[in-house]
PDB file of all heavy atoms in Angstrom:
ATOM      1  N   ARG A 100     -39.597  58.099  44.766  1.00  0.00           N
ATOM      2  CA  ARG A 100     -39.561  57.284  43.546  1.00  0.00           C
ATOM      3  C   ARG A 100     -39.544  58.129  42.287  1.00  0.00           C
ATOM      4  O   ARG A 100     -38.795  57.834  41.341  1.00  0.00           O
ATOM      5  CB  ARG A 100     -40.769  56.342  43.539  1.00  0.00           C
ATOM      6  CG  ARG A 100     -40.831  55.431  42.308  1.00  0.00           C
ATOM      7  CD  ARG A 100     -42.015  54.490  42.390  1.00  0.00           C
ATOM      8  NE  ARG A 100     -43.275  55.210  42.398  1.00  0.00           N
ATOM      9  CZ  ARG A 100     -43.901  55.648  41.283  1.00  0.00           C
ATOM     10  NH1 ARG A 100     -43.374  55.418  40.105  1.00  0.00           N
ATOM     11  NH2 ARG A 100     -45.047  56.305  41.355  1.00  0.00           N
ATOM     12  N   LEU A 101     -40.363  59.178  42.217  1.00  0.00           N
ATOM     13  CA  LEU A 101     -40.446  59.974  41.011  1.00  0.00           C
ATOM     14  C   LEU A 101     -39.326  61.008  40.921  1.00  0.00           C
ATOM     15  O   LEU A 101     -39.260  61.770  39.940  1.00  0.00           O
ATOM     16  CB  LEU A 101     -41.814  60.675  40.944  1.00  0.00           C
ATOM     17  CG  LEU A 101     -42.990  59.719  40.788  1.00  0.00           C
ATOM     18  CD1 LEU A 101     -44.318  60.473  40.874  1.00  0.00           C
ATOM     19  CD2 LEU A 101     -42.915  58.982  39.470  1.00  0.00           C
ATOM     20  N   GLY A 102     -38.466  61.046  41.928  1.00  0.00           N
ATOM     21  CA  GLY A 102     -37.354  61.973  41.881  1.00  0.00           C
ATOM     22  C   GLY A 102     -36.026  61.304  41.669  1.00  0.00           C
ATOM     23  O   GLY A 102     -34.968  61.917  41.853  1.00  0.00           O
ATOM     24  N   ILE A 103     -36.052  60.031  41.267  1.00  0.00           N
ATOM     25  CA  ILE A 103     -34.798  59.281  41.095  1.00  0.00           C
ATOM     26  C   ILE A 103     -34.077  59.712  39.823  1.00  0.00           C
ATOM     27  O   ILE A 103     -34.684  59.849  38.762  1.00  0.00           O
ATOM     28  CB  ILE A 103     -35.097  57.763  41.054  1.00  0.00           C
ATOM     29  CG1 ILE A 103     -35.644  57.296  42.413  1.00  0.00           C
ATOM     30  CG2 ILE A 103     -33.846  56.984  40.689  1.00  0.00           C
ATOM     31  CD1 ILE A 103     -36.054  55.853  42.422  1.00  0.00           C
ATOM     32  N   PHE A 104     -32.812  59.943  39.949  1.00  0.00           N
ATOM     33  CA  PHE A 104     -31.969  60.313  38.806  1.00  0.00           C
ATOM     34  C   PHE A 104     -30.521  59.979  39.121  1.00  0.00           C
ATOM     35  O   PHE A 104     -30.191  59.583  40.259  1.00  0.00           O
ATOM     36  CB  PHE A 104     -32.094  61.830  38.506  1.00  0.00           C
ATOM     37  CG  PHE A 104     -31.664  62.715  39.632  1.00  0.00           C
ATOM     38  CD1 PHE A 104     -30.319  63.091  39.768  1.00  0.00           C
ATOM     39  CD2 PHE A 104     -32.570  63.178  40.586  1.00  0.00           C
ATOM     40  CE1 PHE A 104     -29.894  63.896  40.819  1.00  0.00           C
ATOM     41  CE2 PHE A 104     -32.171  63.984  41.646  1.00  0.00           C
ATOM     42  CZ  PHE A 104     -30.828  64.344  41.746  1.00  0.00           C
ATOM     43  N   ALA A 105     -29.678  60.129  38.140  1.00  0.00           N
ATOM     44  CA  ALA A 105     -28.240  59.969  38.333  1.00  0.00           C
ATOM     45  C   ALA A 105     -27.537  61.125  37.639  1.00  0.00           C
ATOM     46  O   ALA A 105     -28.016  61.644  36.613  1.00  0.00           O
ATOM     47  CB  ALA A 105     -27.746  58.633  37.767  1.00  0.00           C
ATOM     48  N   VAL A 106     -26.439  61.569  38.204  1.00  0.00           N
ATOM     49  CA  VAL A 106     -25.617  62.601  37.584  1.00  0.00           C
ATOM     50  C   VAL A 106     -24.295  61.960  37.156  1.00  0.00           C
ATOM     51  O   VAL A 106     -23.598  61.361  37.981  1.00  0.00           O
ATOM     52  CB  VAL A 106     -25.353  63.769  38.551  1.00  0.00           C
ATOM     53  CG1 VAL A 106     -24.323  64.732  37.947  1.00  0.00           C
ATOM     54  CG2 VAL A 106     -26.641  64.509  38.862  1.00  0.00           C
ATOM     55  N   GLU A 107     -24.017  62.053  35.873  1.00  0.00           N
ATOM     56  CA  GLU A 107     -22.748  61.554  35.333  1.00  0.00           C
ATOM     57  C   GLU A 107     -22.132  62.649  34.465  1.00  0.00           C
ATOM     58  O   GLU A 107     -22.790  63.151  33.545  1.00  0.00           O
ATOM     59  CB  GLU A 107     -22.989  60.279  34.509  1.00  0.00           C
ATOM     60  CG  GLU A 107     -23.502  59.110  35.342  1.00  0.00           C
ATOM     61  CD  GLU A 107     -23.706  57.841  34.524  1.00  0.00           C
ATOM     62  OE1 GLU A 107     -23.420  57.869  33.319  1.00  0.00           O
ATOM     63  OE2 GLU A 107     -24.146  56.827  35.099  1.00  0.00           O
ATOM     64  N   ALA A 108     -20.895  62.978  34.798  1.00  0.00           N
ATOM     65  CA  ALA A 108     -20.190  64.097  34.136  1.00  0.00           C
ATOM     66  C   ALA A 108     -21.073  65.343  34.272  1.00  0.00           C
ATOM     67  O   ALA A 108     -21.433  65.724  35.379  1.00  0.00           O
ATOM     68  CB  ALA A 108     -19.896  63.740  32.684  1.00  0.00           C
ATOM     69  N   ASP A 109     -21.427  65.973  33.151  1.00  0.00           N
ATOM     70  CA  ASP A 109     -22.254  67.187  33.206  1.00  0.00           C
ATOM     71  C   ASP A 109     -23.672  66.903  32.752  1.00  0.00           C
ATOM     72  O   ASP A 109     -24.351  67.787  32.215  1.00  0.00           O
ATOM     73  CB  ASP A 109     -21.635  68.290  32.341  1.00  0.00           C
ATOM     74  CG  ASP A 109     -21.484  67.876  30.881  1.00  0.00           C
ATOM     75  OD1 ASP A 109     -21.673  66.662  30.570  1.00  0.00           O
ATOM     76  OD2 ASP A 109     -21.172  68.754  30.040  1.00  0.00           O
ATOM     77  N   GLN A 110     -24.142  65.668  32.942  1.00  0.00           N
ATOM     78  CA  GLN A 110     -25.478  65.268  32.503  1.00  0.00           C
ATOM     79  C   GLN A 110     -26.306  64.713  33.651  1.00  0.00           C
ATOM     80  O   GLN A 110     -25.756  64.081  34.573  1.00  0.00           O
ATOM     81  CB  GLN A 110     -25.382  64.224  31.389  1.00  0.00           C
ATOM     82  CG  GLN A 110     -24.661  64.682  30.139  1.00  0.00           C
ATOM     83  CD  GLN A 110     -24.519  63.593  29.116  1.00  0.00           C
ATOM     84  OE1 GLN A 110     -25.197  62.556  29.188  1.00  0.00           O
ATOM     85  NE2 GLN A 110     -23.678  63.800  28.140  1.00  0.00           N
ATOM     86  N   LEU A 111     -27.615  64.958  33.578  1.00  0.00           N
ATOM     87  CA  LEU A 111     -28.553  64.324  34.486  1.00  0.00           C
ATOM     88  C   LEU A 111     -29.284  63.224  33.737  1.00  0.00           C
ATOM     89  O   LEU A 111     -29.831  63.480  32.658  1.00  0.00           O
ATOM     90  CB  LEU A 111     -29.553  65.353  35.022  1.00  0.00           C
ATOM     91  CG  LEU A 111     -30.586  64.836  36.035  1.00  0.00           C
ATOM     92  CD1 LEU A 111     -30.813  65.845  37.157  1.00  0.00           C
ATOM     93  CD2 LEU A 111     -31.914  64.498  35.352  1.00  0.00           C
ATOM     94  N   LEU A 112     -29.287  62.016  34.255  1.00  0.00           N
ATOM     95  CA  LEU A 112     -29.924  60.873  33.624  1.00  0.00           C
ATOM     96  C   LEU A 112     -31.170  60.495  34.406  1.00  0.00           C
ATOM     97  O   LEU A 112     -31.137  60.402  35.635  1.00  0.00           O
ATOM     98  CB  LEU A 112     -28.948  59.676  33.576  1.00  0.00           C
ATOM     99  CG  LEU A 112     -27.553  59.966  33.036  1.00  0.00           C
ATOM    100  CD1 LEU A 112     -26.734  58.682  33.036  1.00  0.00           C
ATOM    101  CD2 LEU A 112     -27.601  60.571  31.650  1.00  0.00           C
ATOM    102  N   THR A 113     -32.255  60.254  33.711  1.00  0.00           N
ATOM    103  CA  THR A 113     -33.527  59.947  34.348  1.00  0.00           C
ATOM    104  C   THR A 113     -34.463  59.268  33.364  1.00  0.00           C
ATOM    105  O   THR A 113     -34.232  59.281  32.163  1.00  0.00           O
ATOM    106  CB  THR A 113     -34.181  61.234  34.918  1.00  0.00           C
ATOM    107  OG1 THR A 113     -35.441  60.915  35.513  1.00  0.00           O
ATOM    108  CG2 THR A 113     -34.428  62.243  33.802  1.00  0.00           C
ATOM    109  N   ASP A 114     -35.548  58.738  33.890  1.00  0.00           N
ATOM    110  CA  ASP A 114     -36.608  58.177  33.043  1.00  0.00           C
ATOM    111  C   ASP A 114     -37.715  59.200  32.795  1.00  0.00           C
ATOM    112  O   ASP A 114     -38.677  58.898  32.069  1.00  0.00           O
ATOM    113  CB  ASP A 114     -37.198  56.922  33.670  1.00  0.00           C
ATOM    114  CG  ASP A 114     -36.203  55.761  33.685  1.00  0.00           C
ATOM    115  OD1 ASP A 114     -35.320  55.729  32.797  1.00  0.00           O
ATOM    116  OD2 ASP A 114     -36.295  54.905  34.566  1.00  0.00           O
ATOM    117  N   ALA A 115     -37.615  60.366  33.418  1.00  0.00           N
ATOM    118  CA  ALA A 115     -38.649  61.396  33.273  1.00  0.00           C
ATOM    119  C   ALA A 115     -38.563  62.071  31.898  1.00  0.00           C
ATOM    120  O   ALA A 115     -37.473  62.353  31.412  1.00  0.00           O
ATOM    121  CB  ALA A 115     -38.516  62.440  34.380  1.00  0.00           C
ATOM    122  N   GLU A 116     -39.738  62.331  31.320  1.00  0.00           N
ATOM    123  CA  GLU A 116     -39.787  62.963  29.986  1.00  0.00           C
ATOM    124  C   GLU A 116     -39.513  64.448  30.028  1.00  0.00           C
ATOM    125  O   GLU A 116     -39.393  65.090  28.976  1.00  0.00           O
ATOM    126  CB  GLU A 116     -41.129  62.671  29.349  1.00  0.00           C
ATOM    127  CG  GLU A 116     -41.368  61.190  29.070  1.00  0.00           C
ATOM    128  CD  GLU A 116     -42.691  60.911  28.379  1.00  0.00           C
ATOM    129  OE1 GLU A 116     -43.449  61.885  28.172  1.00  0.00           O
ATOM    130  OE2 GLU A 116     -42.960  59.756  28.061  1.00  0.00           O
ATOM    131  N   GLU A 117     -39.484  65.039  31.187  1.00  0.00           N
ATOM    132  CA  GLU A 117     -39.051  66.428  31.346  1.00  0.00           C
ATOM    133  C   GLU A 117     -38.221  66.503  32.615  1.00  0.00           C
ATOM    134  O   GLU A 117     -38.311  65.634  33.486  1.00  0.00           O
ATOM    135  CB  GLU A 117     -40.241  67.393  31.424  1.00  0.00           C
ATOM    136  CG  GLU A 117     -41.142  67.182  32.618  1.00  0.00           C
ATOM    137  CD  GLU A 117     -42.249  68.231  32.682  1.00  0.00           C
ATOM    138  OE1 GLU A 117     -42.310  69.093  31.785  1.00  0.00           O
ATOM    139  OE2 GLU A 117     -43.047  68.171  33.629  1.00  0.00           O
ATOM    140  N   ALA A 118     -37.391  67.533  32.698  1.00  0.00           N
ATOM    141  CA  ALA A 118     -36.503  67.645  33.848  1.00  0.00           C
ATOM    142  C   ALA A 118     -36.478  69.105  34.330  1.00  0.00           C
ATOM    143  O   ALA A 118     -35.710  69.912  33.795  1.00  0.00           O
ATOM    144  CB  ALA A 118     -35.116  67.153  33.508  1.00  0.00           C
ATOM    145  N   GLN A 119     -37.300  69.398  35.309  1.00  0.00           N
ATOM    146  CA  GLN A 119     -37.284  70.690  35.982  1.00  0.00           C
ATOM    147  C   GLN A 119     -36.570  70.484  37.318  1.00  0.00           C
ATOM    148  O   GLN A 119     -37.046  69.724  38.156  1.00  0.00           O
ATOM    149  CB  GLN A 119     -38.684  71.240  36.183  1.00  0.00           C
ATOM    150  CG  GLN A 119     -39.408  71.502  34.873  1.00  0.00           C
ATOM    151  CD  GLN A 119     -40.834  72.009  35.073  1.00  0.00           C
ATOM    152  OE1 GLN A 119     -41.363  71.957  36.191  1.00  0.00           O
ATOM    153  NE2 GLN A 119     -41.435  72.478  34.017  1.00  0.00           N
ATOM    154  N   VAL A 120     -35.451  71.138  37.474  1.00  0.00           N
ATOM    155  CA  VAL A 120     -34.624  70.849  38.640  1.00  0.00           C
ATOM    156  C   VAL A 120     -34.434  72.068  39.516  1.00  0.00           C
ATOM    157  O   VAL A 120     -34.510  73.223  39.072  1.00  0.00           O
ATOM    158  CB  VAL A 120     -33.221  70.329  38.224  1.00  0.00           C
ATOM    159  CG1 VAL A 120     -33.349  69.038  37.430  1.00  0.00           C
ATOM    160  CG2 VAL A 120     -32.445  71.375  37.419  1.00  0.00           C
ATOM    161  N   ARG A 121     -34.227  71.796  40.790  1.00  0.00           N
ATOM    162  CA  ARG A 121     -33.680  72.778  41.730  1.00  0.00           C
ATOM    163  C   ARG A 121     -32.291  72.282  42.060  1.00  0.00           C
ATOM    164  O   ARG A 121     -32.069  71.095  42.307  1.00  0.00           O
ATOM    165  CB  ARG A 121     -34.527  72.883  43.004  1.00  0.00           C
ATOM    166  CG  ARG A 121     -35.917  73.410  42.768  1.00  0.00           C
ATOM    167  CD  ARG A 121     -36.662  73.572  44.087  1.00  0.00           C
ATOM    168  NE  ARG A 121     -36.134  74.717  44.836  1.00  0.00           N
ATOM    169  CZ  ARG A 121     -36.006  74.755  46.164  1.00  0.00           C
ATOM    170  NH1 ARG A 121     -36.309  73.691  46.896  1.00  0.00           N
ATOM    171  NH2 ARG A 121     -35.564  75.830  46.762  1.00  0.00           N
ATOM    172  N   TYR A 122     -31.338  73.207  42.054  1.00  0.00           N
ATOM    173  CA  TYR A 122     -29.967  72.786  42.274  1.00  0.00           C
ATOM    174  C   TYR A 122     -29.192  73.857  43.047  1.00  0.00           C
ATOM    175  O   TYR A 122     -29.610  75.007  43.142  1.00  0.00           O
ATOM    176  CB  TYR A 122     -29.268  72.489  40.945  1.00  0.00           C
ATOM    177  CG  TYR A 122     -29.016  73.689  40.044  1.00  0.00           C
ATOM    178  CD1 TYR A 122     -27.797  74.360  40.050  1.00  0.00           C
ATOM    179  CD2 TYR A 122     -30.003  74.147  39.162  1.00  0.00           C
ATOM    180  CE1 TYR A 122     -27.567  75.454  39.224  1.00  0.00           C
ATOM    181  CE2 TYR A 122     -29.769  75.235  38.334  1.00  0.00           C
ATOM    182  CZ  TYR A 122     -28.559  75.880  38.371  1.00  0.00           C
ATOM    183  OH  TYR A 122     -28.341  76.958  37.546  1.00  0.00           O
TER     184      TYR A 122
END
Side-chain angles (χ1 to χ4, degrees):
R100 181 177 62 83
L101 294 174
I103 294 176
F104 61 87
V106 172
E107 295 181 1
D109 59 350
Q110 299 177 14
L111 182 141
L112 311 181
T113 178
D114 292 332
E116 295 182 357
E117 64 177 0
Q119 297 179 348
V120 299
R121 295 184 73 216
Y122 69 95

